């Protein structure tokens, strides 16, 4: 065998080993949060990721089609364009959606909260908003001073997630239950129902993970 033939044989052997390694590489089927816009075209559900011009078909693999049912309740089936956050796996151009985080009609893209935001919650009558993550839990209420407390990870108890904290004569308790919450004023639906108690005052609303 000549030197040239030896190099060719080695190259072919290396290429074959590389292809086999790629084929043997395990597929990551861990569901991840997908952020983007969704609409319905005929019988197809089309998903377009935030800050990306690509798109994917959507297959609802959730129990009893619960993801599609929630999205339809917000207006997907009626032809409305939604901003959605879905837990799923992208497989050959198809987003296999297994769970729901939030959806809003004509909502804007919101990228992951990272280390600074683990949760958001909000409600009406009176208007309030809560952000939890990083070093602080911040509660804003219409016409009242912002309340800031030190953040600790929420305790998970089955379908419940809880937080309790106190600072500067303020005592805050947050209870999040994993049940679908609809907010007509926000024109959306969220995966968690929120109950927030500050110094004996109870606030009700919806929550979603960041």
């Amino acid at each position: 065998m000549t030197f040239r033939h030896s190099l060719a044989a080695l190259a072919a052997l290396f290429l074959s080993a590389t292809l086999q390694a790629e084929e043997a590489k395990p597929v990551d089927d861990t569901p991840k949060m997908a952020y983007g816009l969704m609409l319905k075209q005929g019988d197809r559900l089309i998903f377009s990721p935030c800050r990306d011009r690509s798109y994917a078909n959507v297959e609802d693999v959730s129990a009893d089609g619960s993801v599609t049912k929630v999205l339809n309740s917000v207006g997907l089936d009626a032809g409305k364009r939604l901003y959605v956050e879905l837990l799923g796996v992208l497989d050959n151009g198809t987003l296999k959606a297994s769970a729901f985080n939030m959806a809003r009609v004509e909502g804007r893209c919101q990228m992951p909260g990272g280390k600074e935001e683990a949760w958001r919650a909000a409600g009406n009558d009176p208007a309030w908003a809560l952000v939890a993550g990083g070093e602080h839990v911040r509660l804003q209420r219409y016409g009242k001073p912002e309340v800031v407390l030190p953040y600790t990870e929420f305790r998970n108890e089955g379908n419940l997630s809880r937080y309790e904290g106190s600072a500067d004569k303020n005592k805050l308790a947050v209870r999040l239950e994993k049940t679908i919450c609809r907010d007509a004023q926000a024109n959306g639906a969220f995966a968690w129902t929120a109950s927030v108690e500050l110094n004996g005052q109870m606030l009700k609303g919806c929550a979603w993970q960041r």
Side-chain angles (χ1 to χ4, degrees), residues 96-112:
K96 297 183 177 180
S98 56
F100 160 85
N101 187 44
M102 64 97 80
R104 297 184 67 174
V105 176
E106 300 292 345
R108 295 181 180 180
C109 280
Q110 300 179 24
M111 300 311 291

Side-chain angles (χ1 to χ4, degrees), residues 143-159:
K144 295 185 178 181
E146 181 181 52
V147 175
V148 181
L149 292 90
Y151 172 76
T152 57
E153 287 191 12
F154 284 38
R155 302 191 314 274
N156 294 319
E157 305 169 0
N159 287 332

